[in-house]
Amino acid sequence: MDKILTKNIAPSNEEIIIVKAKGSVLWDKKGKDYIDFSSQTLNLNLGQSHPLLISAAKRQLAKYSFLSSRFMSTPFLNLAKTLVRLAPKGLTKVNLKLTNGSDANESAFKRARKYHKKPTIVSFYFSHLGETSETISASGKHFKNRSYIGGSQCFAFFHPPHPDFIPSAKSIAEAERASLTELSELLEKRGDICGVIVEPIMVNAGVYVLSPSYLKSLRGLCTRCNVALIFDEVQTAFGWLGTFFAADKAGVTPDILTVGKALASGFPLAAVLMKEKYDVLEYGEDEFTYGGHPVSCAVALKNIEILEKMNLAETVLEKETFIKNLLYGLKNDYPFIKEVRGTGLIWVIDFDEKKSPRSASEIYDRAIKNGLILRKSKDGEGSALVIKPAVTVSFEELTEGFKRFRKAIE
Ligand SMILES: Cc1ncc(COP(=O)(O)O)c(C=O)c1O
């Protein structure tokens, strides 16, 4: 099979054909089961094949399968209203005619640029904002070799607030101050900046959680300098943190907020929420054919209804406490685990690769062999493994998953 697939999508290890999945468990064609701590592409907040989502999709398909932008579907309109109701106060406009997180971030860039009439967006080194030319250009992880892939290149970068990125800082507080100073100098020095985009949790960089006080300072700085503060919540929205948005948890309202991944819990859909003044694009500037797909919108509405009914904050807190105990147990037993970081249901295990008998990549492969799906972090090259289980994962699955994790490490 890998002979016809392009090398970016061909599996790097043994091909696993999945034939069935339910919740957080998948089965391959040999009948072997896998507990999924990755929520696949870090997007299945309610796990696989949730019965209520299946019914919502079927009900919508039986009515009609697709409508062009000329005709508004009821789920599309209802979802728009629901998102504005749930969004941080002040984000009163929404565009749902988007499919991927990359579309949503590009929409945010276009809006900030058009409103402020300036081209440059500031982003973190090591950020991951998507894979279109423009979002690769914006992603700090491609900082060194992004030019060959195109995009406007109208981006400037600053360091995330953690000593791993600012080695001169001795603590997170020091790193936060250094990062804010760097941004403030950038904003002062350059007259061409229209916005600052951050991921409130930098998941792909290795699960670095921006503190509420840092986000509040960013808010203040962007307001003072009259640039848009953009939160990329593609990873953080819809459940993993016990709130609908990371912005709620931090108590900070950005000017523009982007969502994708878990919005429709496994169906393609993305959205951008904004303050009214950023509603500046015309027809033909920000709609994609499959954006706002009625089936995805119907599933997204049901997804939100399920999250609203489940007492999300308590559910996530209970599972977070359980996961933290298991993670700190691992760290205690294996001294080559340098750090565990995270919040809610998004965590990383960072190995000290000089001391660890096995690399993170080897542990990842062994975990799959033992029936546990983890996620490689730091773009698959680093020393860390991410876990982001579904909100619906059971305590039994967590316990069994961690048993398999230990077997993979040993
Ligand atoms: C923080 C963040 N933003 C944007 C994206 C891009 O989303 P998509 O792959 O749906 O375009 C991703 C994807 O992993 C992401 O993690």
Side-chain angles (χ1 to χ4, degrees):
M1 193 65 177
D2 55 356
K3 293 216 169 59
I4 60 160
L5 295 177
T6 56
K7 64 184 178 202
N8 60 308
I9 58 167
S12 58
N13 44 17
E14 188 194 340
E15 208 172 64
I16 299 168
I17 309 288
I18 297 298
V19 293
K20 192 174 81 167
K22 188 99 200 90
S24 291
V25 185
L26 288 74
W27 287 268
D28 71 13
K29 63 180 182 188
K30 294 178 197 142
K32 177 179 159 81
D33 65 274
Y34 300 82
I35 295 175
D36 189 2
F37 275 10
S38 72
S39 299
Q40 290 305 295
T41 311
L42 308 161
N43 59 326
L44 295 182
N45 58 340
L46 298 182
Q48 297 274 359
S49 304
H50 192 293
L52 297 179
L53 300 188
I54 294 175
S55 315
K58 278 187 180 162
R59 262 198 310 278
Q60 180 52 45
L61 271 170
K63 286 184 196 152
Y64 50 86
S65 53
F66 183 78
L67 293 178
S68 83
S69 298
R70 178 70 185 76
F71 306 95
M72 286 286 162
S73 76
T74 310
F76 181 91
L77 289 173
N78 287 344
L79 181 59
K81 279 187 219 148
T82 304
L83 285 175
V84 169
R85 168 174 68 77
L86 291 171
K89 212 159 169 268
L91 304 188
T92 54
K93 289 278 187 167
V94 60
N95 178 17
L96 266 173
K97 280 293 288 177
L98 310 170
T99 316
N100 295 295
S102 306
D103 307 344
N105 282 338
E106 287 217 17
S107 169
F109 301 159
K110 285 186 275 189
R111 289 168 189 284
R113 285 169 172 159
K114 192 164 178 186
Y115 176 76
H116 290 283
K117 299 191 176 60
K118 290 177 183 179
T120 302
I121 303 275
V122 183
S123 143
F124 278 136
Y125 292 110
F126 306 100
S127 58
H128 174 90
L129 304 173
E131 295 188 17
T132 56
S133 289
E134 190 65 351
T135 51
I136 284 183
S137 178
S139 293
K141 71 173 189 179
H142 295 293
F143 175 66
K144 288 204 182 81
N145 58 356
R146 69 204 166 107
S147 49
Y148 69 95
I149 229 154
S152 70
Q153 306 292 321
C154 288
F155 297 95
F157 297 93
F158 74 121
H159 287 88
H162 192 283
D164 284 358
F165 304 108
I166 308 178
S168 60
K170 298 283 166 285
S171 63
I172 290 182
E174 252 185 59
E176 286 182 343
R177 278 195 297 278
S179 167
L180 288 166
T181 305
E182 190 183 357
L183 176 63
S184 166
E185 285 171 2
L186 207 53
L187 290 169
E188 219 170 87
K189 201 169 67 195
R190 296 180 58 143
D192 62 345
I193 293 170
C194 63
V196 176
I197 183 164
V198 296
E199 303 153 74
I201 301 180
M202 299 177 73
V203 176
N204 284 303
V207 186
Y208 291 92
V209 182
L210 308 190
S211 74
S213 67
Y214 178 84
L215 290 171
K216 282 193 181 104
S217 301
L218 269 188
R219 175 66 281 177
L221 195 51
C222 289
T223 305
R224 274 199 305 286
C225 296
N226 189 30
V227 298
L229 175 61
I230 305 163
F231 280 2
D232 172 343
E233 293 230 27
V234 170
Q235 287 278 359
T236 44
F238 303 107
W240 320 97
L241 305 180
T243 50
F244 273 92
F245 303 100
D248 301 331
K249 197 161 173 175
V252 176
T253 302
D255 297 298
I256 306 178
L257 187 155
T258 63
V259 294
K261 289 205 189 282
L263 167 57
S265 197
F267 286 74
L269 188 64
V272 55
L273 287 144
M274 71 206 83
K275 291 186 177 162
E276 183 144 12
K277 67 182 184 181
Y278 290 101
D279 182 13
V280 288
L281 299 178
E282 305 300 330
Y283 177 70
E285 291 182 335
D286 209 28
E287 321 84 46
F288 297 89
T289 300
Y290 285 110
H293 196 291
V295 177
S296 297
C297 289
V299 173
L301 277 167
K302 187 53 78 178
N303 175 32
I304 291 170
E305 188 188 315
I306 295 167
L307 292 172
E308 284 196 298
K309 281 188 181 154
M310 76 167 26
N311 196 354
L312 186 59
E314 211 172 284
T315 307
V316 168
L317 184 63
E318 260 180 19
K319 288 180 187 170
E320 176 184 1
T321 310
F322 196 76
I323 289 173
K324 257 161 90 173
N325 277 336
L326 291 165
L327 281 172
Y328 285 106
L330 277 188
K331 184 167 174 346
N332 213 24
D333 293 344
Y334 304 108
F336 46 85
I337 294 179
K338 199 168 54 178
E339 195 179 15
V340 293
R341 288 185 298 275
T343 184
L345 301 181
I346 309 177
W347 288 83
V348 72
I349 300 99
D350 211 335
F351 294 89
D352 183 339
E353 292 225 300
K354 284 198 197 96
K355 293 187 192 149
S356 177
R358 300 183 198 288
S359 67
S361 179
E362 204 183 336
I363 294 169
Y364 170 88
D365 289 340
R366 284 169 60 88
I368 294 217
K369 285 209 169 67
N370 288 322
L372 174 67
I373 306 170
L374 302 165
R375 182 94 186 168
K376 286 184 191 173
S377 186
K378 304 192 179 178
D379 304 312
E381 286 168 5
S383 55
L385 294 170
V386 169
I387 65 168
K388 189 181 174 189
V391 176
T392 47
V393 71
S394 70
F395 291 101
E396 293 73 27
E397 285 158 351
L398 286 171
T399 306
E400 177 58 25
F402 271 89
K403 267 194 208 148
R404 295 179 187 187
F405 201 163
R406 281 176 179 267
K407 263 174 75 184
I409 294 176
E410 277 160 8

